[in-house]
């Protein structure tokens, strides 16, 4: 569905499972950042109330996920740690086209969001298929579906806001770029690490 060029090695789930507290804290902050990103997109599109309404729903859902992860952390007696730097996301930010037309920037930010949702969904699938923790298997399966829907929404917005053929070409560039950077990830107990 996502056409990711380089799948996550299933052994990443073993790294994550060896430090569930860390992966949960990182995951909670990823959800908070996703909500913030959706809100940032809202500020760029006041003339599109249809898109703003859907972005608002995504922001609210991401905050709900943040709360769900936080609740799991508390229920397990873990400590909720400080926000983490997400090197993967920071590398993706560098690929956003800057300095051009406003519409091009907005489309690229939609593709940026779609890429993060696609990789997160893929990582949740790896967790669902490879960890022993039944509660988290179920939880990540539900989130995997949600992330897939968000991916579809962001790609759809990009195609609405830009020329679909141009957007599809740019998405292929995003896929190639993401494949070039994801090679150095998959060895830390973080969602994108």
């Amino acid at each position: 569905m996502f056409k990711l060029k380089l799948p996550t090695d299933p052994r990443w789930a073993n790294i994550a499972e060896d430090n569930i507290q860390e992966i949960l804290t990182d995951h909670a902050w990823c959800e908070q950042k996703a909500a913030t990103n959706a809100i940032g997109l809202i500020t760029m599109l006041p003339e599109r109330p249809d898109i703003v309404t859907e972005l608002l729903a995504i922001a609210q859902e991401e905050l709900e996920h943040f709360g769900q992860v936080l609740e799991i952390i508390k229920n397990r007696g873990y400590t909720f740690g400080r926000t983490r730097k997400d090197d993967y996301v920071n590398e993706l930010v560098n690929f956003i086209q800057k300095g051009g037309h406003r519409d091009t920037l907005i489309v690229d930010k939609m593709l940026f969001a779609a890429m993060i949702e696609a990789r997160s969904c893929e990582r949740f699938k790896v967790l669902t298929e490879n960890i022993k923790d039944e509660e988290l298997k179920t939880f990540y399966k539900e989130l995997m579906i949600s992330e897939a829907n968000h991916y579809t929404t962001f790609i759809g917005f990009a195609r609405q806001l830009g020329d679909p053929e141009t957007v599809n070409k740019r998405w292929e560039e995003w896929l190639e770029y993401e494949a070039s950077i994801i090679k150095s990830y998959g060895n830390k107990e973080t969602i994108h690490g």
Side-chain angles (χ1 to χ4, degrees):
M1 174 176 167
F2 307 123
K3 298 198 271 180
L4 294 173
K5 305 282 186 191
L6 187 63
T8 296
D9 185 326
R11 291 176 292 185
W12 167 77
N14 300 329
I15 295 167
E17 194 163 34
D18 284 344
N19 196 346
I20 291 293
Q21 179 175 331
E22 183 63 28
I23 197 85
L24 287 170
T25 291
D26 180 71
H27 177 198
W29 287 115
C30 286
E31 297 291 354
Q32 179 272 326
K33 291 170 189 171
T36 301
N37 186 59
I39 292 166
L41 288 168
I42 287 170
T43 67
M44 298 179 79
L45 292 161
E47 70 282 2
R48 294 295 304 262
D50 55 327
I51 293 177
V52 166
T53 299
E54 288 192 57
L55 288 170
L56 176 59
I58 288 173
Q60 290 169 327
E61 190 173 356
E62 299 289 17
L63 280 177
E64 183 180 307
H65 295 164
F66 174 81
Q68 290 172 326
V69 180
L70 186 58
E71 201 58 35
I72 292 170
I73 290 169
K74 291 189 315 191
N75 289 343
R76 291 179 177 219
Y78 297 154
T79 301
F80 179 52
R82 293 190 176 275
T83 187
R84 274 87 167 123
K85 182 179 167 191
D86 192 326
D87 293 326
Y88 167 81
V89 170
N90 290 336
E91 286 195 62
L92 290 180
V93 166
N94 292 333
F95 196 64
I96 295 173
Q97 294 179 359
K98 298 165 188 80
H101 193 271
R102 175 182 176 271
D103 293 345
T104 303
L105 174 64
I106 293 170
V107 166
D108 232 34
K109 285 187 173 237
M110 292 293 181
L111 296 176
F112 162 79
M115 181 57 68
I116 294 170
E117 298 288 348
R119 182 56 71 181
S120 297
C121 180
E122 190 257 0
R123 288 285 171 102
F124 293 162
K125 185 176 189 288
V126 169
L127 287 173
T128 298
E129 294 174 347
N130 294 285
I131 62 173
K132 296 175 187 84
D133 188 310
E134 292 301 324
E135 177 191 15
L136 291 180
K137 271 187 183 196
T138 301
F139 179 63
Y140 281 114
K141 186 171 186 177
E142 291 169 8
L143 289 188
M144 179 181 69
I145 295 164
S146 176
E147 300 295 313
N149 289 334
H150 295 170
Y151 156 80
T152 302
T153 300
F154 286 120
I155 286 283
F157 289 159
R159 289 178 180 140
Q160 279 179 46
L161 296 166
D163 170 65
E165 189 174 320
T166 303
V167 169
N168 290 340
K169 286 180 186 170
R170 181 62 179 155
W171 180 241
E172 287 299 322
E173 293 171 5
W174 271 98
L175 290 167
E176 290 296 331
Y177 178 74
E178 198 266 354
S180 75
I181 66 168
I182 198 67
K183 289 187 270 193
S184 60
Y185 295 95
N187 54 12
K188 294 192 323 192
E189 60 279 344
T190 60
I191 294 298
H192 302 120

